[in-house]
């Protein structure tokens, strides 16, 4: 059975990615930093017929939590076909580059950029064992250099840097037949995207699941 780990799988796009991968027959490890939210999300997916979804405690902003999750994952499966680095924060939606706090910048980079790199490193032995594994980094058009604009400096930097991480890992992991891609889900109706967004979570998850 193919296996996947989705970070921040308890709601929003990550939840829809878990559902989409389960629909395709994957055994899905739903990463969530909160036990209640993670278990409730799994219960909802199981009720919808996706019995092969299970919660994995994972806070991508904590190196200890990442290591613990990788150890637990290795006790549950001997390979990992897909890692979806979906968990993310948008802490400076209304801030500008000249005034946003240093802490907000560092917290954003830690979750959106360093977290995905550390998770990939931690589960690499399992990805290697899958044969042709995929890492999918959920990025954003707001990090695209050719489309860069003012505002949200922390979020924009974190996603530009995530795209760099994607290219670097892609170069370094090709020898192990591991593909690494970034994808943007578009503007999606979630707690992050807001109710004015144009896309449903299923539409947002589509390209991520395809990758
Ligand atoms: P969301 O509804 O706010 O969900 C974010 C998810 O990330 C939640 O599950 C959250 O968990 C989790 N998360 C945040 N920090 C975490 C941490 N330290 N450890 C583990 N999980 C953590 O946002 P979304 O719209 O689904 O966003 C998902 C991804 O898509 C993000 O990477 C975002 O940047 C990207 N994206 C979204 C849009 C959009 O329009 N929505 C557009 C472009 C890109 P908790 O429930 O515990 O907080």
């Amino acid at each position: 059975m193919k296996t996947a780990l989705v970070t921040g799988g308890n709601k929003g796009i990550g939840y829809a990615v878990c559902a989409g991968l389960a629909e395709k027959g994957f055994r899905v490890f739903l990463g969530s930093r909160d036990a209640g939210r993670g278990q409730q999300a799994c219960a909802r997916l199981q009720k919808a017929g996706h019995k092969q979804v299970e919660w994995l405690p994972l806070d991508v902003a904590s190196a200890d939590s990442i290591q613990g999750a990788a150890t637990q994952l290795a006790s549950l499966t001997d390979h990992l076909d897909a890692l979806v680095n979906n968990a993310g924060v948008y802490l400076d939606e209304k801030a500008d580059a000249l005034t946003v706090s240093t802490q907000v910048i560092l917290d954003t980079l830690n979750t959106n950029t360093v977290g995905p790199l550390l998770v990939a490193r931690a589960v690499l032995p399992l990805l290697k064992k899958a044969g042709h594994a995929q890492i999918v980094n959920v990025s954003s058009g707001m990090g695209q250099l050719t489309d860069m604009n003012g505002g949200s400096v922390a979020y924009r930097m974190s996603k530009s840097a995530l795209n760099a991480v994607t290219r670097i890992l892609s170069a370094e992991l090709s020898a192990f037949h591991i593909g690494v891609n970034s994808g943007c889900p578009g503007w999606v109706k979630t707690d992050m995207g807001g109710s004015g967004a144009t896309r449903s979570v299923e539409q947002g998850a589509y390209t991520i699941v395809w990758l």
Side-chain angles (χ1 to χ4, degrees):
M1 188 181 247
K2 293 211 170 205
T3 55
L5 168 61
V6 181
T7 69
N10 57 283
K11 69 174 183 180
I13 296 163
Y15 180 84
V17 168
C18 289
L21 289 172
E23 192 71 47
K24 289 189 179 295
F26 277 73
R27 179 181 178 192
V28 178
F29 299 96
L30 183 155
S32 173
R33 58 181 164 176
D34 180 85
R37 290 195 287 272
Q39 284 164 348
Q40 275 173 25
C42 285
R44 276 209 311 282
L45 287 166
Q46 284 163 2
K47 209 170 159 199
H50 304 308
K51 302 288 177 215
Q52 75 287 19
V53 178
E54 51 211 284
W55 171 55
L56 189 73
L58 175 52
D59 180 345
V60 305
S62 157
D64 286 347
S65 173
I66 291 171
Q67 213 39 63
T71 303
Q72 189 174 342
L73 193 61
S75 73
L76 297 168
T77 179
D78 62 3
H79 69 286
L80 188 67
D81 295 280
L83 163 63
V84 181
N85 277 315
N86 163 79
V89 289
Y90 186 10
L91 304 175
D92 64 336
E93 188 174 352
K94 296 193 169 69
D96 61 59
L98 300 182
T99 55
V100 67
S101 78
T102 309
Q103 200 55 52
V104 162
I105 295 172
L106 293 176
D107 288 347
T108 304
L109 287 170
N110 194 36
T111 298
N112 293 5
T113 315
V114 180
L117 174 60
L118 295 188
V119 175
R121 277 168 27 170
V123 301
L124 188 57
L126 292 174
L127 291 168
K128 282 182 183 171
K129 285 187 196 152
H132 287 272
Q134 294 292 327
I135 299 173
V136 183
N137 293 326
V138 181
S139 190
S140 168
M142 288 180 71
Q144 192 172 313
L145 288 176
T146 52
D147 198 25
M148 198 50 71
N149 214 321
S152 306
V153 67
Y155 185 77
R156 288 183 185 279
M157 278 168 65
S158 74
K159 294 298 187 178
S160 297
L162 179 62
N163 291 344
V165 167
T166 296
R167 300 273 305 258
I168 293 160
L169 284 182
S170 176
E172 293 189 6
L173 299 184
S174 64
F176 307 110
H177 310 289
I178 297 172
V180 191
N181 288 283
S182 284
C184 173
W187 188 23
V188 181
K189 284 186 217 311
T190 61
D191 287 346
M192 185 186 290
S195 56
T198 50
R199 312 192 81 205
S200 68
V201 285
E202 290 76 19
Q203 288 171 319
Y206 181 84
T207 303
I208 308 305
V209 172
W210 177 79
L211 282 169

